[in-house]
Amino acid sequence: MSLLVVGLSHRSAPVSVLERASLAADTQAKLLQDTLAAEPATEAAVLATCNRIELYADVDKFHAGVAELSTLLAQHSGVGLEELTPYLYVHYEDRAVHHLFSVACGLDSMVVGEGQILGQIKDALARGQELHTAGRLLNDLFQQALRVGKRAHSETGIDRAGQSLVTFGLQQLAAGADPALWAGGKRALVIGAGSMSSLAAATLARTGVAEIVVANRTRARADRLVEILQQGDDTAVRARAVEMSAVGDELTRADIVVSCTGSTGLVLTADALADALGMTLDAAPEAPAATAHAPAPDDVDQHAAWVENGSAASAAHAGPATPRRVTVPAQSTGPVRLALLDLAMPRDIDGAAHRIDGVRLVDIESLAEASADAPMAADVDRVRTIVSDEVAAFGAAQRAAHVAPTVVALRTMAADVVAGEIARLDGRLPDLDEKQRAEITQTVRRVVDKLLHAPTVRVKQLASEPGGAGYADALRELFDLDPQTVAAVSRADLNDPNRGRS
């Protein structure tokens, strides 16, 4: 296994960089195809969410792989490599597995313990399978990550450590009040009908809003979401769908707006919001500066030296980056007439909306700041133990799988030897009857099986231990196995249509 992940997330990069580096669906597909075309990579998968962009690959050369994946991320995100490099992190082999398993459990999420990431990992795997960029390693890895995430949620109280991004966002909008009391009886406008918007609509319905209006560019998807909301047994919310062109009118009637679309531009401008409220846009107020954490020097500094870029290399030797200063918009004071929750990346709602009197805006950036000091539940430690155990088990399974084709090739060679010797015996003793011939054949096979049993079982055990990959090579050398035969077994296993399906 030579698993490599290069990426950036809310932990390593400011929202402004994540926003610019976000990848549309067609761009993700092109990134995967280009990664596979690159020499160091044989498999690839991309995990792109509102707060992380990660490229996973099976590579045969570590340093070349880091440089190539970093360059590809920069090219497809549109953020220059020199600018992107300080925010990138690199994980390799077991550390890469540990990272993905932690992500799947919600340990690396903006809101610790949230479960939405499992659906996003599932989508990433499905995309890799559809484009045939995910092979045996990444299929096994992502399938296991999904199982580990489900195990963490079923065996621990990690769900108590945090909520979904939607729930957390509504809590921030409520500003300390009970979200159910705050939202009860209000009218909500949901812009978008994808997975996050659907979750937002369902959460609003359970919270007790009186009406939900869904606007989406594809009206059929908005209609479908409304139908689902109206079929819910645990809510009595009124719901209706509208065209995107009706958003301006709906803003004049809404109390809460949640937006999460795939748009690359603003869906709601500050001027449009001001018009809907019959107000003018105030001059930008002075905004206090807040300190954001710089990316940890752990893998970031090493990465800069690995990328063949002069300025990036110099950054690696400069030591940990100094804390960045980010500007936090000052929210308007007084009664809230319109509460805005922007869950899109890049953002849907103009950040200047905070300058409109009576508007409260919560977006990905403010959620990241609010969640930074959220208390961690004791169950998080239990999840970390699960992740560590699962990483060890996955590594052992992968190492054992590495030797399996060699064992199969050895047994195939032994079967061919037995068949050849039985054929030679038939030529020398043509008068043997079928019963005698069958008994001799069975005896020879038992002898071969007994001779091979101990070494093949033992080599699988040894190969599952750290550093055990060399046992497969030793077995091939000792028995002079044809490398092409071993490779053929590996290809047959990789092309099994039932492999990696759950």
Side-chain angles (χ1 to χ4, degrees):
M1 177 179 66
S2 298
L3 177 66
L4 175 66
V5 56
V6 177
L8 67 160
S9 74
H10 64 100
R11 294 185 182 275
S12 70
V15 172
S16 58
V17 174
L18 280 172
E19 189 174 39
R20 291 168 53 211
S22 62
L23 303 174
D26 55 344
T27 306
Q28 293 178 38
K30 186 66 166 61
L31 171 60
L32 288 174
Q33 292 164 349
D34 288 352
T35 302
L36 224 60
E39 183 178 344
T42 57
E43 299 182 34
V46 61
L47 178 59
T49 72
C50 60
N51 53 28
R52 75 176 63 254
I53 302 165
E54 297 177 343
L55 182 56
Y56 292 77
D58 185 7
V59 299
D60 56 8
K61 298 175 183 177
F62 173 69
H63 295 88
V66 172
E68 189 65 41
L69 266 58
S70 302
T71 300
L72 287 168
L73 276 175
Q75 289 176 347
H76 289 79
S77 68
V79 180
L81 181 60
E82 183 175 346
E83 180 182 359
L84 193 64
T85 293
Y87 305 113
L88 293 177
Y89 47 77
V90 174
H91 299 297
Y92 189 55
E93 295 189 331
D94 284 350
R95 289 187 62 184
V97 177
H98 190 283
H99 174 73
L100 181 59
F101 287 4
S102 297
V103 169
C105 293
L107 293 179
D108 199 58
S109 295
M110 188 177 295
V111 180
V112 174
E114 61 90 13
Q116 297 170 41
I117 187 63
L118 287 175
Q120 294 161 334
I121 290 174
K122 187 176 181 180
D123 290 342
L125 174 60
R127 187 181 303 108
Q129 290 173 336
E130 180 183 356
L131 297 173
H132 305 290
T133 63
R136 181 172 60 192
L137 173 60
L138 293 184
N139 267 288
D140 288 351
L141 175 69
F142 277 69
Q143 289 281 0
Q144 189 62 24
L146 291 171
R147 286 188 282 267
V148 173
K150 292 174 184 176
R151 181 188 169 194
H153 284 278
S154 64
E155 295 183 14
T156 75
I158 188 66
D159 291 335
R160 297 193 298 266
Q163 318 88 77
S164 73
L165 204 59
V166 174
T167 303
F168 190 60
L170 291 177
Q171 289 180 347
Q172 298 306 304
L173 285 178
D178 183 338
L181 295 177
W182 171 78
K186 285 183 167 63
R187 293 185 294 269
L189 170 62
V190 175
I191 304 176
S195 57
M196 184 68 79
S197 297
S198 298
L199 177 61
T203 303
L204 286 166
R206 289 193 300 270
T207 303
V209 298
E211 181 184 42
I212 296 177
V213 177
V214 180
N216 192 58
R217 285 187 174 83
T218 304
R219 176 62 183 267
R221 295 190 67 180
D223 289 334
R224 176 58 181 157
L225 178 52
V226 165
E227 182 182 347
I228 293 172
L229 291 172
Q230 292 175 331
Q231 290 173 349
D233 297 330
D234 57 344
T235 66
V237 66
R238 299 190 306 273
R240 57 188 174 89
V242 298
E243 304 286 347
M244 284 293 288
S245 58
V247 165
D249 291 335
E250 295 299 333
L251 283 174
T252 63
R253 292 184 283 270
D255 303 300
I256 304 170
V257 177
V258 180
S259 187
C260 187
T261 72
S263 174
T264 55
L266 292 177
V267 174
L268 294 178
T269 64
D271 287 333
L273 290 165
D275 288 344
L277 294 174
M279 305 182 69
T280 57
L281 195 61
D282 296 334
E286 289 294 325
T291 300
H293 296 291
D298 185 15
D299 288 322
V300 177
D301 293 340
Q302 297 178 46
H303 165 266
W306 290 327
V307 177
E308 295 178 3
N309 179 285
S311 57
S314 63
H317 299 290
T322 55
R324 300 185 303 276
R325 305 290 291 181
V326 297
T327 299
V328 180
Q331 295 285 359
S332 63
T333 58
V336 176
R337 296 176 54 192
L338 184 60
L340 307 172
L341 178 57
D342 186 356
L343 299 174
M345 182 65 72
R347 71 189 71 199
D348 279 347
I349 302 176
D350 192 343
H354 73 277
R355 292 157 46 192
I356 305 172
D357 190 32
V359 170
R360 175 177 294 154
L361 170 63
V362 171
D363 56 17
I364 293 295
E365 189 166 13
S366 56
L367 285 175
E369 293 165 359
S371 65
D373 298 323
M376 299 279 282
D379 292 281
V380 169
D381 287 337
R382 293 179 59 198
V383 174
R384 288 190 176 125
T385 299
I386 289 175
V387 168
S388 296
D389 292 344
E390 291 284 358
V391 170
F394 183 82
Q398 288 297 308
R399 289 187 289 271
H402 178 70
V403 78
T406 302
V407 172
V408 172
L410 174 60
R411 290 193 173 276
T412 300
M413 183 192 75
D416 291 341
V417 170
V418 170
E421 289 301 313
I422 293 300
R424 192 170 71 87
L425 183 64
D426 286 342
R428 297 181 63 181
L429 299 175
D431 295 332
L432 288 175
D433 59 34
E434 287 299 319
K435 183 177 180 180
Q436 292 171 324
R437 184 179 183 281
E439 184 63 33
I440 293 172
T441 300
Q442 186 62 28
T443 298
V444 174
R445 286 175 176 167
R446 280 199 299 266
V447 170
V448 171
D449 285 343
K450 288 181 178 180
L451 287 173
L452 291 181
H453 177 73
T456 54
V457 169
R458 186 61 180 144
V459 79
K460 288 181 180 179
Q461 294 172 340
L462 293 171
S464 66
E465 299 173 358
Y471 288 101
D473 298 331
L475 202 62
R476 286 194 294 270
E477 288 293 329
L478 287 172
F479 287 91
D480 195 24
L481 297 176
D482 184 357
Q484 296 299 323
T485 302
V486 177
V489 174
S490 300
R491 286 194 298 272
D493 184 48
L494 182 60
N495 293 328
D496 182 354
N498 296 316
R499 183 177 182 88
R501 303 286 181 180
S502 60

